[in-house]
Structure formats: structure tokens, C-alpha cells
Amino acid sequence: MNALYGTDQPDTLSERISVGKLAFSLQGGALRHIAYGGVEMIRGIAFLVRDRDWGTLVPRNTELLRETGDRFNLHLRMQYQSGGAELDVTVKIVADDQGLEVSATGAVDGPFETNRAGFTLLHPASVAGCPAMVGHSDGTTDAAQFPVLIDPWQPFMDIVALEHQRDGLRVRCLLSGDTFEMEDQRQWGDASFKTYNRPLALPWPYDLSANAPLQQSVHLTWEPVVTDPVRLPETPANVTFPETALVLMAQDALRLAENPLDIAEVAPQRLLCHIDCALSDAKGQIEAFAKLQSALPDLTFDAELICTFAPSVHGELTDLHGAMVQSGFRPDSVLVCPSVDRQSTPPGSEWPDCPPLDDIHAAAAEVFQGLTRGGGMVSFFPELNRKRPPLEHLDFVSHGLCPIVHAADDVSVMETLEAIPHITRSAREIIGDRDYRIGPATIAMRQNPYGNRTIPNPNGERLCMADDDPRHRAQFGAAYVIGLATALASAGITVWTPAAVYGPRGLSGPIVQAIAALAKCAGQPVHHAEICNGLAMLRVGDRTFRANLTAQELGDLGPYGWA
């Protein structure tokens, strides 16, 4: 077993290509970190196919042609399987010092089910606030700006051309072959804005047909211009490091009550107790947490209540409160989240039936008088951004984080740390001066808002939306959690939850020592927090943390090492 990654499964190999001042990486048929003269223009261009749960299908790749010199020319055959049908695509990459074009031609041999099939273009998150020009299919062009705060919906629609100016370059992208639109991927934790084909307002999944061959292209050009620096909002000053919490289910509570030393090394300040009324016996779940509280009376307990509101909002909350009183469970806070809001509602979809959040949290304020009350989402920031809580009833707002929603390779996971300041700035704009908590924030996904399930991972691979990621239990996981703490440190978070107690996202491996060291920093002033060139630097109180977020040595730190 690889000590760095927790698995012997290799990551996708990456190859750096240079043509004059143009440089980019090739990884599994995708282009990444496309730069000219050292300035990153585009974060990525890839032909991607998604299944009905938004999982990424992995193709069988065959290199057909490669020519190098003053001009780079590569032809790839990419074969995808779905429901017994095959999508056979030829991708051509042509690049020189003046431009880059990526084109695809594909056909299926039968009905091929997919949520999306085509090119995805990523602009780096650093273009936030940069001026842009957006060309549309009717020939019109709009002057625009990449959003500074994260848009809950698509910032740009019906795109055939997209131009931005940054760091002395004007970069222009021409798109053809389908209807493209953009989503602000920063809200999922990706450090990018994503332009993709097939609008989300259209039905999905859908079938590719043998009668409609697939043809798409992306053409990239650039030129030098004078650009102004972009100023982003300041982060809060005079912040302290948050308290550390661990999340657990009722069955975990009974196990921990019998083995309280299981969390002794980490010594968290809080335990986040997940109570799911969509499962049977909510009363029994509460009784399990009461037993744990008796065994660990010095810890602070927070209740995460997933509610169905049957037969009514007030009735269910009253029953839950009664079960707490009867069992002796005394949480310090309660967060109420509708069960249906665990699933995302994408643009163009119908909102699920749910009582108004005003009614829900007004009832919670009445039932749970004297307790700290929270709202938000037990999923991720997009869901909070699209369905914002009524602050007048709340003491705190929370959401989770997950770095493997759209990509799961090692570089992409660490790059999600770039997006966290964008998320926390945008969240603070929504919640004002309310306390801000980060719910479970682990590499693996505890529940999937975008499909019917998290993705099983019995072979320990790097999979998007997987319920288990072996890197969590390896040196990679320890470096990631130091990087996560660094990215969050300046945001004024009051509580963060970087792991579960047990299970695939639990306390196992090098992450234990990393979280234990960070937990000791609760309440201490944050003096410095920065991630730059693959190195996380964090100074809290009298402690200094450094973490190497790369697979190469950085100074005295080995790959994914920390000190």
C-alpha cells in the first residue's frame, strides 16, 4: 500500500508540452494549465462524458498520431461504454505559438445514455472580476465581467465566443458544435469557471443517437494587451482559529461510548451528531447520543437534524425535542435541514415539495428555545447559495465541502483549496455577521446531492463523488487537511469538521496527528494563512504549520509532507 496515497492505483500520468511560449499539460487526453509566457490562460479543455449520476465515464484511449516541432499535432481515439452502447470519439489537438484548437468527432453504435457528452472549458478562478466579452449564437456580443462573488446560477448563457483580459493577455475562445453555457464551478470547490455543452434546462439523462454524429471544437487565440489588476474583497481581520468537531452517526455513538479513548489523541472540542428522521427510529438515534454524552460529558455536542416534517413541521420538531428531554440528550446547538434539500436542484429543475424555510426555522426557534440554532445545508455551498436561509431565526449557518465533485486526480483535489476563499467570501455576503460553520469537509463524499448515490470505490481508485477515498488515510490526506485549515483560517469560521470518528472518512492514518495538532489551536489568533506555489503556510498563536501540497519535494518537506 502506497504511504502517500493509501492505494497502489496510479494517478493519471501528466506530460508537459511546449510549443514556443505556449505550454500545457496532457493528462488522459485532456489539456490542463494552458499558459502563454508563464501566464495561465485556461485551466483545462477536456472531452468529458457523464453518466446519469453525473459520474465521469473513463474512456479507453488510443494515440493515433503525434507530430512535434514548431507545431504540435495529436490525434486520440477515446471509446466510452454506457448501457451496452459505445461512443467512439476522435479528438484532434493542434497547437502552435499563435493558437490552439481541439476538435472532436464521434458516433455511437446504439442508444447511449448520458447526462453530458462534449467539451468542457475551464477558466481559472483567478479571472474573477476580470472584464469579459461574450458572443452569442445570434451574432450579438455582450460586455461583461467574470463574477467576483459566486453566482448561484449560470453567469453566461448561449456562448459561441468568450474573451477575457488578465495579466497582460487578451484570451479568446471560439466554441462550436452545440449550445454552450457557463457555471461558476467555484461553488462546488473547483478553482474554475466551467463552460460546457448542452444547457441544464434540457432533460437529462438523454440518449445519443447513431443518427446524429457528434462534432464539436474549441479554438483558443491570444494577444498582448494592457490590463488592470483586479481587486477582490478583503477577508475579515482579527480572526481566531475555529473549534474542531468530528461527525458521527448513532451507531458510531454507541461504539464511541464504549471506547472513548478512540478520540483521545485528536481531542476535538465538539461532536456533530447526525440524526436522520428519514430513517426509522429517530428516538433511538437520540438515545444513542444521550449514552455517548454520559460517557463524554466534557465535550460539546451539536445535533444535525435531518427532517421530513411529517406529519407537520411543528409536530416533528416537538417530537424530536421531547425525545431529547426524555433521553437526557442535551445538545449545545441544533441545525435543522429538510431531508429533500440533501438533493441539489439544478437550474431548470422543479424545486421539491418542502415547507418554506421561514416556517421551518420559526418553528425551530419556538421548540428549541435556549439552544443555539443553525440553518444552511448539510450538503455543499451550491445548495446554500441557491436556497438561502432566513437569518432572523438563526444563530449560525453551515455547509459542507468536498473536493472530488468534478475531478478526483491529485492535482485537482489540491487545487480546490484555491476556491475556498471565494466560497467563504460569498457565504459571508449571504450570512452577514452570523456565526459561520463548515460541516463535514472530507476528501470523500458522505452523501451525493447530484445523483442517487455516492460512488462505491472497492478498488481504492481516484473517483469523483466516491464514498471512500484512500488518500484520506494516507500522507496526502494529512497534507490536504493542513491545506484546508490554511484556506479556511482567515474566514472567521467558528467550527470546522474535518473528519468523522469512524468509517471511510474517520480517524485513521496520518490525518489523526494533523487534526490533533490543529485542534489545539482552537480560539488562538490567526497571524498568517497562505497557500502559494504548492506550499501551505499557517501561523496560529505560537504554532506554525507548513504543508507540501505537491508530489515533489519542497525545501525540507517531502511529497505531501507537513511540519
Side-chain angles (χ1 to χ4, degrees):
M1 190 64 68
N2 190 302
L4 290 181
Y5 306 108
T7 177
D8 291 325
Q9 293 278 352
D11 197 8
T12 306
L13 294 177
S14 180
E15 176 188 7
R16 195 66 178 167
I17 304 294
S18 295
V19 185
K21 293 184 179 180
L22 175 68
F24 55 87
S25 295
L26 276 176
Q27 187 177 50
L31 289 77
R32 303 188 62 179
H33 306 109
I34 303 168
Y36 186 79
V39 175
E40 185 180 24
M41 301 184 293
I42 297 294
R43 178 59 55 95
I45 302 173
F47 188 92
L48 296 178
V49 181
R50 303 281 197 183
D51 66 18
R52 67 180 299 115
D53 292 315
W54 293 102
T56 303
L57 297 181
V58 179
R60 183 171 69 254
N61 288 350
T62 306
E63 188 170 304
L64 304 176
L65 170 71
R66 179 187 287 245
E67 298 173 346
T68 56
D70 293 338
R71 186 180 181 90
F72 179 79
N73 192 0
L74 177 66
H75 296 185
L76 292 171
R77 184 182 184 187
M78 307 175 75
Q79 296 167 284
Y80 301 85
Q81 301 288 331
S82 177
E86 181 176 276
L87 169 61
D88 195 334
V89 182
T90 298
V91 173
K92 298 179 180 180
I93 303 168
V94 180
D96 58 25
D97 201 49
Q98 304 300 312
L100 183 151
E101 184 168 14
V102 188
S103 60
T105 303
V108 296
D109 60 5
F112 185 98
E113 184 185 68
T114 181
N115 279 358
R116 177 177 298 156
F119 279 118
T120 291
L121 175 74
L122 303 180
H123 281 77
S126 55
V127 303
C130 290
M133 300 292 291
V134 185
H136 304 293
S137 58
D138 63 1
T140 61
T141 300
D142 295 331
Q145 182 188 58
F146 278 88
V148 173
L149 298 176
I150 297 173
D151 272 347
W153 312 109
Q154 299 97 320
F156 305 139
M157 307 283 282
D158 181 27
I159 305 168
V160 298
L162 187 57
E163 179 182 293
H164 77 271
Q165 298 182 40
R166 172 178 168 261
D167 291 345
L169 288 178
R170 177 185 290 123
V171 180
R172 182 172 176 81
C173 307
L174 299 178
L175 308 167
S176 68
D178 206 330
T179 301
F180 288 81
E181 61 189 29
M182 176 184 287
E183 63 189 12
D184 196 335
Q185 273 208 142
R186 295 176 298 168
Q187 64 182 338
W188 286 276
D190 301 71
S192 59
F193 297 84
K194 178 171 72 177
T195 301
Y196 56 90
N197 71 300
R198 187 172 170 93
L200 284 173
L202 295 176
W204 44 266
Y206 64 98
D207 285 341
L208 297 177
S209 168
N211 298 324
L214 186 152
Q215 290 186 311
Q216 292 181 24
S217 68
V218 179
H219 187 201
L220 184 67
T221 56
W222 52 86
E223 62 180 338
V225 293
V226 176
T227 55
D228 296 323
V230 174
R231 298 189 182 277
L232 298 176
E234 296 291 331
T235 57
N238 302 318
V239 297
T240 57
F241 195 78
E243 292 187 311
T244 296
L246 300 174
V247 66
L248 71 170
M249 307 277 285
Q251 64 267 29
D252 302 327
L254 295 174
R255 177 179 171 185
L256 183 58
E258 295 179 357
N259 303 278
L261 293 180
D262 287 353
I263 61 169
E265 182 174 358
V266 167
Q269 287 78 37
R270 313 177 80 99
L271 292 175
L272 178 59
C273 306
H274 181 81
I275 300 167
D276 188 352
C277 296
L279 303 176
S280 61
D281 194 19
K283 181 180 178 181
Q285 296 177 55
I286 291 170
E287 289 172 348
F289 289 117
K291 292 178 181 177
L292 177 59
Q293 193 169 41
S294 295
L296 293 170
D298 295 332
L299 286 181
T300 299
F301 284 69
D302 302 301
E304 181 182 72
L305 304 178
I306 312 301
C307 296
T308 62
F309 303 120
S312 68
V313 172
H314 198 278
E316 184 174 56
L317 295 178
T318 300
D319 288 346
L320 290 169
H321 180 260
M324 291 178 185
V325 172
Q326 185 176 0
S327 67
F329 181 47
R330 300 174 304 280
D332 180 73
S333 72
V334 292
L335 182 150
V336 177
C337 181
S339 180
V340 296
D341 283 346
R342 287 186 285 187
Q343 290 303 114
S344 182
T345 302
S349 302
E350 289 188 14
W351 286 92
D353 187 29
C354 182
L357 289 183
D358 272 326
D359 294 350
I360 291 170
H361 291 295
E366 179 182 340
V367 172
F368 295 108
Q369 293 184 40
L371 295 184
T372 301
R373 296 180 304 277
M377 293 290 170
V378 299
S379 52
F380 309 124
F381 180 73
E383 289 69 56
L384 174 70
N385 203 14
R386 291 171 178 170
K387 192 173 183 180
R388 302 183 178 189
L391 299 178
E392 62 271 21
H393 301 302
L394 302 176
D395 300 302
F396 71 90
V397 177
S398 180
H399 65 81
L401 297 168
C402 178
I404 58 170
V405 174
H406 290 121
D409 61 276
D410 298 334
V411 171
S412 293
V413 169
M414 290 301 187
E415 281 180 347
T416 64
L417 300 174
E418 297 175 26
I420 287 177
H422 296 264
I423 290 174
T424 55
R425 271 196 301 266
S426 300
R428 185 57 72 185
E429 186 73 14
I430 295 170
I431 71 174
D433 61 357
R434 294 297 188 274
D435 278 355
Y436 182 15
R437 300 184 183 184
I438 293 296
T442 56
I443 297 176
M445 184 180 278
R446 71 163 172 164
Q447 63 99 25
N448 183 1
Y450 316 112
N452 296 322
R453 58 170 188 163
T454 53
I455 307 303
N457 191 15
N459 297 322
E461 300 177 76
R462 294 164 173 83
L463 293 180
C464 292
M465 296 185 278
D467 65 343
D468 184 357
D469 192 299
R471 292 170 293 187
H472 174 87
R473 298 176 291 278
Q475 191 63 36
F476 185 101
Y480 173 80
V481 85
I482 298 291
L484 177 63
T486 304
L488 290 171
S490 299
I493 306 294
T494 54
V495 180
W496 75 314
T497 307
V501 177
Y502 301 117
R505 296 168 296 283
L507 298 178
S508 178
I511 197 172
V512 175
Q513 290 75 35
I515 298 175
L518 292 163
K520 291 182 174 67
C521 297
Q524 296 297 307
V526 176
H527 302 299
H528 180 75
E530 181 183 25
I531 297 175
C532 184
N533 297 323
L535 183 67
M537 290 284 295
L538 174 63
R539 286 196 300 114
V540 183
D542 60 357
R543 292 170 177 263
T544 299
F545 295 83
R546 296 179 298 125
N548 179 0
L549 308 180
T550 77
Q552 292 77 43
E553 290 190 4
L554 285 181
D556 62 336
L557 294 175
Y560 305 114
W562 71 277

